[in-house]
Amino acid sequence: MKEQSGGDLLERLGSDLSAAILLCLDDPADLVRLASLSKSWRIFVISNGFCKRLCLRTNPEISCFVRAIEVGGYLGPNMFSSFWSNKRKSTLTFRLSCKLCVIHEIKIQLPQAEFYCRASKCRFRLGHMRNENATPEELLAEDFIWTYVSPEFSMVEIGDFQSLKLQRPVVCIGGVLQFELLSRDPSDESSDMRTLIMASRVKAIVCPLAPAFEVSLLDRMGDSILMYFPGAIPYLEDFFVQEPSFSSRRKFWRKAKRRRKNW
Amino acid sequence: MASYERRKVTLKSSDGEEFLVEEAVAMESRMIRYMIWDGLAGDVIELPGVKGKFLSMIIDFCKKRVAWAAGGDGTLEGLKSDFVKVDLGTLIHLSAASFCLKTNDLVDLTSQTLANRIQGKTIDEICRALNPEE
């Protein structure tokens, strides 16, 4: 009965009006519920790509995916240590333990009041490295592809962790997070900013998409393939907090060279 | 004032009703506007996809909108909210008529109103919300 009424409803509204209504919806749960009304609604929603369109609208950073493929079985979770890269004088670059995840919140803690006086704002970037095997010493600014750059956040709290509230959850494609402190004086190139950034603590509240989803970076321009492992859906984890340790840097690269893991 | 704003045109619905309106009001519909610009519109413009009852409501909205744009009272938001204060069956027909006439803002308005009726609802509630017979 429900199947028949769902199909009749689509016929009564017509494809143009139905499409116009679906494009007005901004919650993917509503699209999924409509797709479950009947077989004809399911075909209509999937064949017209409404879920994909909504996802691109809410998370434009995923436009780098040129293709999506479904893979049987699944890879185990890749738990890599994070590292600090300090080539830039006021940036801190590290890897999250997931190559593909959703970031809901970033927390920053500046060490002392006098350091706070020098840094008025901060921002962060998400993306990946052009060369996955490069060492921190080799990295330059142009070696990263950023899929998301945050707005500037004012630094207002000293001592406790300050939460950088995002307007929406952001998909991190590639697992690289770069945090940058912006000096009150744009011409400030003193070593104090380097000291400040190294003494800061950064936490990221992430929701990993692995092992159900993985990203395969296609080329150096940033195009990627989204891999889907339907068998791994039950193994999706809840949120967890990522805070890389200071001591992990050298240890990570020694281990990485030994393991020769493929990101 | 340009002379075309005073000219009138007759719109004929699918069930034979005729409406004499100012050209400026008729041109709120992109379909009619392009017909007039391209010289394809005769004395009577036939609209086989739109019934008289709904064409009348759309013409009424367009008249009020043109009057508002010329400095009339009220707000555009008020006009729009009054336009969609109708039952579900009428709303669906108005939306289909707006598609036919290519009055884009009415298409957006009616689509958004219908979308608002199903946001956050369960499957059964969606069926009831979009079924004019219940």
Side-chain angles (χ1 to χ4, degrees), chain A residues 2 5-6 9 12-13 16-18 20-22 24-27 30 33-34 36-37 41, chain B residues 92 95 99 107-108 111-112 114-115 118-124 126-127 130-133:
Chain A
K2 189 180 296 182
S5 67
L9 188 58
R12 184 185 308 123
L13 293 176
D16 287 339
L17 178 54
S18 301
I21 294 173
L22 265 60
C24 292
L25 297 173
D26 52 17
D27 186 349
D30 290 326
R33 276 191 281 268
L34 274 172
S36 57
L37 276 179
W41 270 107
Chain B
I92 291 176
S95 189
F99 263 103
V107 168
D108 294 340
S111 304
Q112 186 64 59
L114 287 165
I118 63 177
Q119 275 174 352
K121 300 278 197 306
T122 63
I123 295 174
D124 286 334
I126 290 174
C127 282
L130 294 181
N131 190 351
E133 292 163 358

Side-chain angles (χ1 to χ4, degrees), chain A residues 106-110 157-164 200-203 243:
Chain A
I106 303 278
K107 294 189 176 184
I108 171 72
Q109 181 192 49
L110 290 182
E157 293 186 31
I158 307 165
D160 290 337
F161 274 95
Q162 173 182 343
S163 176
L164 308 182
S200 304
R201 291 177 67 191
V202 179
K203 285 184 185 179
E243 184 182 4

Side-chain angles (χ1 to χ4, degrees), chain B residues 37-78:
Chain B
W37 283 354
D38 293 342
L40 300 174
D43 293 333
V44 176
I45 298 176
E46 299 205 8
L47 305 168
V50 187
K51 285 190 176 176
K53 173 185 173 185
F54 309 112
L55 180 59
S56 164
M57 295 174 74
I58 292 177
I59 288 173
D60 188 54
F61 174 84
C62 292
K63 280 183 184 172
K64 289 178 181 172
R65 185 195 171 99
V66 168
W68 169 82
D73 295 331
T75 63
L76 187 58
E77 287 308 311

Side-chain angles (χ1 to χ4, degrees), chain A residues 55-78:
Chain A
C55 198
L56 281 168
R57 208 164 71 221
T58 55
N59 292 86
E61 61 270 15
I62 68 166
S63 58
C64 65
F65 290 128
V66 296
R67 200 159 75 238
I69 59 176
E70 188 168 317
V71 185
Y74 77 99
L75 307 175
N78 288 326

Side-chain angles (χ1 to χ4, degrees), chain A residues 57-213:
Chain A
R57 208 164 71 221
T58 55
N59 292 86
E61 61 270 15
I62 68 166
S63 58
C64 65
F65 290 128
V66 296
R67 200 159 75 238
I69 59 176
E70 188 168 317
V71 185
Y74 77 99
L75 307 175
N78 288 326
M79 299 300 293
F80 285 90
S81 302
S82 302
F83 67 90
W84 299 110
S85 169
N86 200 21
K87 293 297 284 189
R88 302 287 295 163
K89 56 181 183 295
S90 61
T91 63
L92 212 48
T93 310
F94 61 97
R95 271 182 174 163
L96 302 172
S97 60
C98 298
K99 216 172 159 187
L100 187 63
C101 59
V102 180
I103 294 188
H104 291 259
E105 190 178 350
I106 303 278
K107 294 189 176 184
I108 171 72
Q109 181 192 49
L110 290 182
Q112 295 174 28
E114 57 266 32
F115 287 154
Y116 162 71
C117 294
R118 303 189 70 94
S120 63
K121 293 189 178 183
C122 67
R123 66 182 167 202
F124 65 91
R125 300 178 177 86
L126 300 172
H128 58 87
M129 298 193 300
R130 290 183 194 272
N131 179 5
E132 294 287 338
N133 298 316
T135 58
E137 290 76 15
E138 298 166 351
L139 289 169
L140 301 173
E142 54 268 25
D143 292 324
F144 294 97
I145 294 177
W146 303 117
T147 55
Y148 174 80
V149 180
S150 80
E152 292 178 2
F153 297 93
S154 295
M155 304 300 297
V156 295
E157 293 186 31
I158 307 165
D160 290 337
F161 274 95
Q162 173 182 343
S163 176
L164 308 182
K165 290 289 185 192
L166 304 178
Q167 285 186 331
R168 57 168 176 88
V170 181
V171 179
C172 178
I173 302 168
V176 175
L177 167 63
Q178 184 181 82
F179 181 77
E180 181 180 12
L181 282 177
L182 302 170
S183 174
R184 289 181 189 277
D185 177 7
S187 62
D188 182 0
E189 294 189 3
S190 71
S191 62
D192 285 350
M193 289 298 288
R194 283 197 289 274
T195 307
L196 174 57
I197 194 87
M198 283 300 290
S200 304
R201 291 177 67 191
V202 179
K203 285 184 185 179
I205 313 294
V206 305
C207 182
L209 295 177
F213 296 94

